Amino acid sequence: MEQKLTDLLEELPKNNYNTYYQSSAGRGKHKTIMSTIPSPIAEPFSWDYERTKEFLYRLSEILTPEEAERLNIQFENPSLKDIVPAALAPTVRGGIQLLKPGQKAPTHKHSPNAFRLILEAPADDAYTVVNGVELPMHTGDLVLTPNWTWHDHHNDSSGDVIWFDGLDIIFVYWIGGVFYSLPKGEKSPNTVAEDGNDNFNEYGSGLVPDTVHGELDYDPMFYYPYEKARQALVSLAKTRTGESSVTLEYTNPITGGPVFPSMGLKLTMVRGGKTTPLIQRTENKVVICMEGEGEITLSSGKKIELKSHNVAVIPSWEQHRISSGSSDLVLFTYSDEPIFRAMKLFRENLSK
Ligand code: 1HN
């Protein structure tokens, strides 16, 4: 009996078959899939900003943005790098991109959704153009390039500009949904309209045109300035004095929901000297430190250092707490929470 079973279990994969007995219970070459609680394929990890920047500058001495199309360093989760290139988490990619004065990243569009979070913008004349709308890049600003919108980046200032790119491209790749296009012909289809489209003012006042409902399949605002987001966060913190942290989600003004169907973007403030309750959620979350210092403590006891622009990834169901140093800690996060919610898979535990 035992030998017969061994023989058959060896023969099946050679013929492109498998069994519950092996695949679900982890008796084959993979770990079990039917875990009682999520057992993510990604691992918690973090990257130091200064070290990342060093690699970015080394690359910039060898390649131009025009040659590379995008001059960036992407974060690669150690547990995923043999499965798919540059996956920060099972669904998302992330990286930092550089434009030096006078440089431009050429126009393209793709079906994955993307956002840009500006990390360093010492001067005023850096901007991204999204479907003909020119959007400024100041430190902390959020710029969206929703799926299939044309986008290019420009730096007409006298200083370097660095931003974080986040994309749902890993998810889109897995399910076979990646489309990508360069402009056909010489002229970019992404030229700025002369009468100055201003989507932020058109959609950003709690009012939307009465013609818009059901007609737009993406967030048209494109631009969320840091000044406003930070102000809103500080106001919220004033009303929630008993809580160690407060969080705001960036929303699509048309739906009131997340800015992308696949990714939720948030801004969190952990008050100076405080620690959050234990957080445990079905979401793969990326954390980018914007202000202050602190640490994330994982269930293993391992600590991840948070300081300016460090990046951390917390896979689904990983229990963690976030602590701030003596001053307020401001974190930008993005995650695939909307996918879990759409699939009715979202769960969370919050305990003291
Ligand atoms: C992309 O389009 C940009 O537009 C940056 O700046 C990073 C990584 C993968 C795929 C597309 C950009 C990207 C990307």
Side-chain angles (χ1 to χ4, degrees), residues 101-300:
Q103 288 184 332
K104 166 182 182 304
T107 313
H108 71 193
K109 65 177 176 179
H110 37 73
S111 53
N113 291 291
F115 69 84
R116 330 280 154 204
L117 175 71
I118 318 310
L119 301 180
E120 292 188 49
D124 252 10
D125 296 314
Y127 57 97
T128 288
V129 183
V130 183
N131 272 4
V133 184
E134 188 178 306
L135 307 159
M137 295 170 117
H138 305 132
T139 304
D141 287 356
L142 173 70
V143 174
L144 307 184
T145 59
N147 72 28
W148 218 237
T149 52
W150 291 109
H151 54 282
D152 39 63
H153 314 296
H154 306 257
N155 183 359
D156 296 343
S157 78
S158 55
D160 294 352
V161 181
I162 299 176
W163 64 87
F164 183 100
D165 294 300
L167 298 97
D168 60 10
I169 191 168
I170 306 299
F171 174 70
V172 181
Y173 171 73
W174 271 119
I175 62 172
V178 176
F179 290 87
Y180 157 78
S181 179
L182 289 167
K184 295 193 176 65
E186 296 280 289
K187 199 170 166 296
S188 168
N190 196 28
T191 43
V192 177
E194 274 181 21
D195 55 2
N197 286 331
D198 185 356
N199 289 31
F200 176 69
N201 279 318
E202 192 173 338
Y203 296 100
S205 308
L207 299 158
V208 294
D210 66 351
T211 48
V212 101
H213 294 281
E215 282 178 26
L216 274 176
D217 55 8
Y218 59 76
D219 180 343
M221 205 146 81
F222 298 153
Y223 180 59
Y224 296 75
Y226 192 55
E227 210 188 314
K228 292 253 179 202
R230 204 181 181 289
Q231 236 172 38
L233 197 64
V234 169
S235 297
L236 182 66
K238 279 189 191 146
T239 68
R240 301 252 184 104
T241 47
E243 291 169 30
S244 53
S245 70
V246 288
T247 296
L248 281 173
E249 177 162 10
Y250 292 87
T251 56
N252 175 340
I254 307 298
T255 63
V259 294
F260 300 119
S262 52
M263 290 188 290
L265 281 46
K266 296 178 183 178
L267 204 59
T268 291
M269 179 191 284
V270 183
R271 287 177 211 281
K274 298 281 183 196
T275 295
T276 65
L278 272 176
I279 305 164
Q280 187 179 41
R281 291 206 179 95
T282 52
E283 65 173 344
N284 295 286
K285 180 170 76 174
V286 180
V287 177
I288 302 150
C289 184
M290 298 305 286
E291 294 180 35
E293 293 185 1
E295 60 192 21
I296 302 175
T297 308
L298 304 173
S299 54
S300 63

